[in-house]
């Protein structure tokens, strides 16, 4: 199909279900690349293999060039004011477009342009303007991140024998299955995981410093529990196997002892 006599093909991507839409998009991309003209795909559906599972991605639009190359088009609501936009929002849009570019390059085996077309409102008007955003670094970073992900098959193989998480299992059996799997809780989990509250309760019961956040956990080094932190602050050993000796060589333990001494001095209690 062509829109408004412009000579730009706009193929129909209607199909049933995600798999059908992805297949229709794949066919439209192949036909557009072979036609040797301009084409715009409105809200296509792409696929990308992530850790052994298929993820469906829906960019705003794709532009197919006469030479068969493809440009990712991202349409955003934040404005471009006097020729510049919020760098954080532009960076987020570039990372999002990089995922689409990677799906096109690796899933569809197409020649993807190294720049995405970012479309935003001009100043405070409803008039659109566009600019190119480089994707090379973002695509490389995304490819590295995906390569480091643990595959679903490997995760399943590491589960305890007989562990089953089917929703129709008895609550006691489900609880035992969840308890059998180690978890590293962080406050960020609350926004992404339905089991975050369960893991948070476990972390609090165990006194794990991970419940205080990844930044705190990183600053405390080998001190993994609140008990070990308090023991180090008092100048004693970790006391629970999470530290060695009195922690004399641990920078985190030294910093804790110094902080405890300063606090005691500030409170007028003197150094212990």
């Amino acid at each position: 199909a062509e829109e408004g006599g412009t000579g730009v093909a706009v193929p129909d991507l209607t199909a049933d279900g995600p798999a059908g839409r992805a297949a229709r998009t794949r066919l439209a991309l192949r036909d557009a690349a072979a036609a040797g003209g301009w084409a715009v795909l409105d809200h296509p559906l792409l696929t990308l293999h992530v850790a052994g599972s298929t993820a469906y991605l829906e960019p705003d639009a794709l532009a197919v060039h006469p030479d068969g190359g493809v440009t990712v088009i991202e349409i955003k609501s934040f404005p471009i004011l006097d020729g510049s936009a919020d760098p954080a929002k532009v960076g987020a849009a570039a990372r999002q477009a990089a995922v689409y570019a990677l799906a096109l390059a690796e899933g569809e085996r197409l020649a993807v342009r190294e720049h995405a077309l970012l479309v935003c409102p001009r100043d405070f008007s409803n008039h659109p303007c566009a600019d190119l955003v480089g994707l090379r670094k973002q695509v490389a970073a995304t490819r590295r991140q995906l390569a480091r992900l643990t595959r679903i098959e490997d995760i399943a193989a590491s589960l305890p024998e007989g562990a089953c998480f089917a929703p129709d299992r008895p609550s006691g059996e489900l609880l035992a299955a969840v308890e059998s799997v180690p978890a590293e809780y962080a406050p960020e989990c609350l926004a992404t995981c339905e089991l975050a509250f369960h893991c948070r309760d476990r972390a609090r019961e165990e006194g794990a410093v991970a419940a205080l956040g990844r930044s705190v956990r990183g600053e405390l080094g080998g001190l993994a529990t609140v008990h070990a932190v308090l023991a180090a602050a008092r100048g004693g050993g970790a006391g629970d196997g999470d530290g060695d000796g009195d922690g004399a060589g641990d920078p985190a333990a030294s910093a804790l002892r110094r902080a405890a001494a300063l606090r005691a001095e500030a409170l007028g209690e003197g150094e212990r």
Side-chain angles (χ1 to χ4, degrees):
E2 292 189 358
E3 182 178 306
T6 60
V8 178
V10 184
D12 181 14
L13 303 179
T14 305
D16 293 331
R21 288 184 58 199
R24 185 70 187 88
T25 297
R26 191 175 300 111
L27 180 61
L29 283 169
R30 189 178 305 139
D31 292 344
W38 287 95
V40 173
L41 278 65
D42 183 22
H43 287 281
L45 200 66
L46 308 175
T47 59
L48 180 65
H49 292 291
V50 179
S53 178
T54 300
Y56 292 98
L57 311 171
E58 186 176 6
D60 292 322
L62 298 174
V64 182
H65 298 248
D67 62 359
V70 181
T71 294
V72 176
I73 301 175
E74 272 297 295
I75 303 174
K76 296 299 182 183
S77 60
F78 59 84
I80 295 180
L81 304 174
D82 296 329
S84 62
D86 186 333
K89 294 180 179 179
V90 173
R95 289 189 294 272
Q96 182 178 351
V99 178
Y100 303 143
L102 191 61
L104 287 165
E106 297 192 352
E108 310 302 336
R109 304 294 181 182
L110 295 173
V112 186
R113 293 292 198 270
E114 293 183 349
H115 293 79
L117 185 65
L118 179 62
V119 181
C120 298
R122 184 191 301 276
D123 298 326
F124 296 102
S125 69
N126 290 327
H127 298 288
C129 62
D131 202 352
L132 294 175
V133 179
L135 299 180
R136 179 180 295 181
K137 292 182 179 179
Q138 288 82 356
V139 169
T142 302
R143 184 178 283 112
R144 289 194 300 270
Q145 291 168 356
L146 291 177
R148 288 197 296 263
L149 291 178
T150 304
R151 295 182 62 84
I152 293 178
E153 296 89 342
D154 298 333
I155 295 175
S158 66
L159 292 176
E161 187 70 25
C164 179
F165 304 98
D168 58 351
R169 306 303 298 172
S171 59
E173 185 176 330
L174 282 174
L175 181 60
V178 172
E179 292 285 356
S180 68
V181 179
E184 189 69 26
Y185 170 78
E188 294 86 349
C189 298
L190 293 171
T192 58
C193 181
E194 295 178 352
L195 291 175
F197 292 101
H198 171 79
C199 295
R200 183 179 64 178
D201 291 342
R202 284 178 59 182
R204 288 175 174 176
E205 290 173 1
E206 297 169 358
V209 296
L212 303 176
R214 288 193 174 95
S215 60
V216 176
R217 180 69 182 89
E219 291 289 341
L220 292 174
L223 304 174
T225 66
V226 174
H227 176 73
V229 171
L230 294 176
R234 298 187 187 104
D240 60 357
D242 292 318
D244 296 324
D246 60 359
D250 189 343
S254 300
L256 285 167
R257 286 194 293 271
R258 177 61 177 161
L262 291 174
R263 179 179 182 276
E265 182 179 350
L267 294 176
E269 297 177 0
E271 294 187 1
R272 295 182 180 179

